[in-house]
Amino acid sequence: SSLIIAGLGLAGIAMGGRWAVIAFQRIKSSNISITIPKLNFKGYYKGGFEEKMSKREASLILGISSTSPKERIREAHRRIMLLNHPDRGGSPYLAAKINEAKDYLEKQKRAK
């Protein structure tokens, strides 16, 4: 009984592999180019958080320059919060850090 199931499973895998090879050959011969996008995480902040928010850390969290205008700060904050809001399954800690970064940069703009 288990040998029959194993044999059927192996036959299914072989048929699926054969189908994949045939499909790949058809795509290759039809001159359709398939591009797989490369993931580029260079623009994302990879480090941990500092104890006290700095100008550098705030700009890294929001992904903008520290000299960006208020409108750009608000746009970046909105874009990131839509992805990381706690009501949508995001982390409350990350949301607090994102809000802290926005407040810090806006406070720097008001001080000038």
Side-chain angles (χ1 to χ4, degrees):
S1 171
S2 63
L3 288 176
I4 293 173
I5 293 173
L8 289 174
L10 189 58
I13 291 171
M15 296 279 290
R18 181 173 181 265
W19 177 83
V21 169
I22 291 170
F24 181 73
Q25 288 173 347
R26 285 184 184 166
I27 290 172
K28 192 174 179 182
S29 67
S30 67
N31 293 330
I32 297 174
S33 64
I34 297 175
T35 57
I36 299 172
K38 292 183 179 178
L39 297 177
N40 183 5
F41 294 111
K42 291 180 183 175
Y44 295 100
Y45 183 56
K46 297 176 187 148
F49 296 109
E50 296 172 10
E51 193 171 316
K52 187 174 180 186
M53 183 69 63
S54 68
K55 191 179 213 180
R56 178 184 172 277
E57 183 179 35
S59 62
L60 285 172
I61 289 170
L62 295 178
I64 57 174
S65 170
S66 60
T67 59
S68 296
K70 277 188 176 184
E71 188 58 36
R72 179 86 171 113
I73 294 169
R74 289 184 182 139
E75 287 173 9
H77 175 263
R78 177 173 163 68
R79 176 178 41 87
I80 295 171
M81 281 304 290
L82 285 174
L83 298 171
N84 293 302
H85 199 278
D87 290 346
R88 294 187 173 187
S91 166
Y93 179 72
L94 289 179
K97 283 297 188 179
I98 293 165
N99 286 330
E100 185 181 356
K102 180 189 94 116
D103 293 341
Y104 184 87
L105 289 178
E106 284 186 342
K107 183 180 173 186
Q108 291 290 319
K109 295 294 173 194
R110 275 186 252 131
K112 288 183 179 181

